[in-house]
Amino acid sequence: LKEAEKHSLKSADLLQKCNQFTMAAFSNSTFGCIYLDTGEYERSKKFSERAISFWQDNGMGSSGIIWSKTYLALAKVMKNENDINLNEIFVDYDNYKKYIF
């Protein structure tokens, strides 16, 4: 798993360097989720923030932004940080839900 992680992290960096920002957003969002699940909250925050930036720069990926904001908030909760705006996540979810359903 460690070797797979090393190669996956390298591919995430290469996607960014090749201007494949949508794929880089997916990749960073996935790492945000994985590191949240494995208890590596600081790394989860880092990758979630990068994913949000990629999604926003692309002007697409509303659901990706919401997922990454959720991972970011959960990582902050697990680190007992206080600068968490859950209302923003709920508003994003409600707005997104209107377009889906």
Side-chain angles (χ1 to χ4, degrees), residues 15-75:
L15 287 167
Q16 179 183 355
K17 289 177 183 174
C18 295
N19 297 326
Q20 298 296 317
F21 297 118
T22 301
M23 294 306 296
F26 274 114
S27 180
N28 281 277
S29 184
T30 300
F31 278 115
C33 180
I34 290 170
Y35 289 130
L36 180 66
D37 287 345
T38 59
E40 296 180 61
Y41 305 122
E42 195 59 42
R43 291 183 92 180
S44 176
K45 285 175 42 181
K46 172 187 158 189
F47 283 97
S48 296
E49 289 168 346
R50 285 178 67 187
I52 292 166
S53 176
F54 286 131
W55 288 123
Q56 289 173 335
D57 289 347
N58 281 326
M60 57 187 293
S62 298
S63 59
I65 292 171
I66 294 169
W67 296 331
S68 296
K69 284 182 178 180
T70 303
Y71 304 149
L72 179 59
L74 289 170

Side-chain angles (χ1 to χ4, degrees), residues 88-100:
E88 180 182 332
I89 293 171
F90 294 135
V91 167
D92 286 343
Y93 174 76
D94 286 339
N95 289 336
Y96 180 72
K97 190 171 67 172
K98 289 176 190 172
Y99 296 107
I100 299 299

